[in-house]
Amino acid sequence: MADFSQFTRRKFLTTAGASAAAAVFLKGCLGNPPSSTPTAQTSPTAAPAVNMGSGEAPEVTTAKLGYLPIVESAPIIIAKEKGFFAKYGMPNVEVSKQANWASARDNVVNGSGAGGIDGGQWQMPMPYLIGDGLITNGRKVPMYNLLKLNTQGNGIAVSGNLKGKGISLNIKDPAVIKGFEKTAGRKFKAAFTFPNANQDFWIRYWLAGNGINPDKDIDLLAIPPAETVQGLRTGTIDAFSTGDPWPYRIVADDIGFIGALTEQIWQYHPEEFFALRADWVDKNPKATKAILKALMEAQQWCDKPENRPELVTILSGRNYFNVPAKVLTPPMEGKYTMGDGQPQINNFQSGVLYWKDGRGSVSFPYKSHDLWFLTETMRWNFHDGAIKDFAMAKAMIDKVNREDLWREAAKEAGVATADIPTSSSRGEEKFFDGVVFNPENPEAYLKSLKIKAA
Ligand code: CA
């Protein structure tokens, strides 16, 4: 490959746009697991220029993106830290740590113009709920779901008081939890940090799959993250559903053990998403695509095993998670000490994945996944049954899910055609209890579930 002189390189970067160079860079980074032998193509400055025209310039160079200090946010942070936002013409993107999910929600309702954010990292189906005013006191702020940040990387932590009772993926004796009150004087208490979204769904799925009704047999409630760890330690709560690195810390600090990893409940499950306010996207479609390209490149970077040590260093830093690097390393390597006599897990594919997994694209926002989250919303009758039927759910998805923008951005960034899904559906999804979700027939799935809201 030709070696450009400094002058030539600078000239082509300013005239052709850095995105053209990045297109070739992306092509050199594909593969699952990614190749451990970098090629000359991975150097963006060594790539030939392709003139994409001045029409590609984003409308704005800034956006304010929220994130939470959990592994799901890695692509947003890496896009900033590695200069990918800048590379695609958005040098002034700000990433803003959110105190919790409720703050992120309130900040996106405000928007960046009023000191808030334009969007960022979300549990599902938060962008839908915010758009329909269901968790914003009726204030509707339409949002677009644009990209999946990751699959896997979450788990259910259980109190050390419950060791030796066979509480794992398949709970040996559900009566230990259902009949908790008889021995403990109160119901089994489980928690998540934000209601009606991923962590709530994971623990509900796990319990129900084990024959335990999360609404009747136990107390299930929302508690701030710091209090979940404290509660587990002091014995006021018995389990909580959370994201890496928290499950690891529970075991490392000998507070409890991991009952189940979410990847055991549903392998390669969709986890968190990137979504922006619809008004921002409608006004800035090119800037939206620039952000998506930067995130895609960051996702590819994050998924290379050889980049994980640097990823841990960046994420654990004071500016971001502010945690000891050692708590992030094992989950980032797919190493989980489950505790309570369960076998250790040591498989990169069992941890958080950002670009590709065993089912194909991680990044692509499949409509079939949005449908699962809305189906579960109906299953548990969240929001007083605001989602009435599948016709309504599908209409919501067609409005909120912008897989079209993902595809355009991927094409413009030079992502290989084979890595751009042609279908809106990832197909059938299979859960640990043998239940199958067929996106073509969500009614059958819902009907088949034994435990659900009446
Ligand atoms: Ca999560």
Side-chain angles (χ1 to χ4, degrees):
M1 189 156 290
D3 186 22
F4 290 85
S5 72
Q6 189 60 41
F7 172 75
T8 312
R9 185 160 65 233
R10 180 174 295 172
K11 193 176 168 200
F12 115 66
L13 281 173
T14 50
T15 55
S19 55
V24 178
F25 174 63
L26 287 169
K27 279 177 190 153
C29 290
L30 303 175
N32 186 30
S35 162
S36 58
T37 45
T39 65
Q41 284 166 306
T42 57
S43 166
T45 51
V50 180
N51 195 337
M52 295 180 75
S54 56
E56 293 305 314
E59 299 85 352
V60 289
T61 61
T62 183
K64 200 161 173 191
L65 309 177
Y67 76 90
L68 271 86
I70 45 178
V71 296
E72 289 85 342
S73 62
I76 297 172
I77 291 168
I78 288 303
K80 177 73 187 170
E81 281 291 311
K82 288 278 156 190
F84 298 145
F85 287 132
K87 187 170 179 174
Y88 292 99
M90 302 281 291
N92 304 315
V93 167
E94 275 180 64
V95 299
S96 164
K97 179 145 87 175
Q98 305 294 298
N100 50 53
W101 291 109
S103 301
R105 172 200 60 200
D106 296 344
N107 281 330
V108 84
V109 167
N110 289 336
S112 64
I117 55 177
D118 299 305
Q121 170 193 356
W122 304 100
Q123 295 197 76
M124 203 47 107
M126 287 182 80
Y128 287 85
L129 306 177
I130 293 167
D132 275 11
L134 296 174
I135 54 170
T136 50
N137 293 321
R139 187 160 163 199
K140 296 181 179 182
V141 179
M143 297 187 70
Y144 291 146
N145 180 27
L146 296 159
L147 172 146
K148 193 191 301 125
L149 289 167
N150 69 298
T151 54
Q152 309 186 146
N154 286 244
I156 291 154
V158 182
S159 161
N161 297 334
L162 289 155
K163 276 184 183 169
K165 297 183 191 295
I167 298 177
S168 60
L169 178 64
N170 292 295
I171 298 171
K172 203 169 144 198
D173 181 9
V176 168
I177 291 177
K178 288 165 104 167
F180 198 77
E181 200 165 6
K182 284 187 215 128
T183 49
R186 61 164 175 79
K187 277 187 175 178
F188 185 91
K189 198 186 263 188
F192 43 76
T193 57
F194 191 80
N196 312 328
N198 297 44
Q199 260 106 46
D200 191 357
F201 290 131
W202 304 142
I203 196 162
R204 281 172 177 272
Y205 197 97
W206 174 63
L207 290 166
N210 277 293
I212 298 160
N213 187 322
D215 288 321
K216 291 186 177 153
D217 298 334
I218 67 158
D219 283 330
L220 182 60
L221 65 166
I223 292 181
E227 287 173 37
T228 54
V229 178
Q230 190 59 16
L232 217 57
R233 197 192 296 272
T234 58
T236 55
I237 69 161
D238 307 301
F240 79 88
S241 181
T242 184
D244 285 331
W246 290 102
Y248 168 80
R249 297 189 86 167
I250 298 302
V251 179
D253 296 352
D254 202 24
I255 296 166
F257 60 94
I258 301 176
L261 294 176
T262 53
E263 74 92 22
Q264 296 176 314
I265 298 171
W266 177 8
Q267 193 180 31
Y268 306 127
H269 68 83
E271 184 53 28
E272 291 175 16
F273 289 79
F274 179 78
L276 293 170
R277 286 174 62 118
D279 56 2
W280 195 93
V281 173
D282 291 340
K283 206 172 149 196
N284 305 298
K286 286 172 188 165
T288 300
K289 283 193 275 178
I291 290 173
L292 294 180
K293 290 173 206 174
L295 290 174
M296 287 176 197
E297 188 162 346
Q299 289 184 295
Q300 292 170 63
W301 188 93
C302 289
D303 244 12
K304 292 184 136 197
E306 66 270 30
N307 287 339
R308 291 283 173 104
E310 190 184 347
L311 178 59
V312 166
T313 304
I314 292 169
L315 295 183
S316 62
R318 264 172 182 282
N319 294 344
Y320 296 109
F321 297 7
N322 196 20
V323 297
K326 68 172 189 210
V327 308
L328 274 174
T329 299
M332 279 294 180
E333 292 175 340
K335 288 183 183 153
Y336 294 92
T337 300
M338 302 292 285
D340 196 29
Q342 300 169 88
Q344 198 126 1
I345 291 173
N346 184 3
N347 177 8
F348 188 81
Q349 287 287 311
S350 291
V352 59
L353 298 169
Y354 297 102
W355 178 245
K356 276 192 181 183
D357 64 18
R359 293 290 303 273
S361 179
V362 168
S363 177
F364 183 72
Y366 286 103
K367 287 186 174 179
S368 62
H369 290 161
D370 294 18
L371 180 62
W372 183 83
F373 285 104
L374 296 186
T375 302
E376 291 298 284
T377 303
M378 288 192 265
R379 172 186 187 180
W380 302 114
N381 198 37
F382 288 157
H383 320 292
D384 296 325
I387 302 174
K388 298 195 173 7
D389 51 38
F390 286 104
M392 186 174 171
K394 284 172 186 168
M396 288 167 76
I397 292 167
D398 285 337
K399 213 168 61 183
V400 175
N401 184 295
R402 294 302 304 272
E403 56 163 50
D404 57 317
L405 290 174
W406 188 98
R407 281 202 187 92
E408 283 177 29
K411 269 180 210 156
E412 287 173 19
V415 169
T417 310
D419 293 326
I420 302 177
T422 50
S423 172
S424 300
S425 170
R426 194 173 73 166
E428 286 190 350
E429 305 288 350
K430 201 168 172 192
F431 297 82
F432 81 102
D433 55 351
V435 168
V436 171
F437 172 73
N438 178 356
E440 303 304 316
N441 192 357
E443 294 88 346
Y445 165 83
L446 196 52
K447 234 178 245 168
S448 78
L449 298 165
K450 291 185 191 80
I451 295 178
K452 57 194 155 194

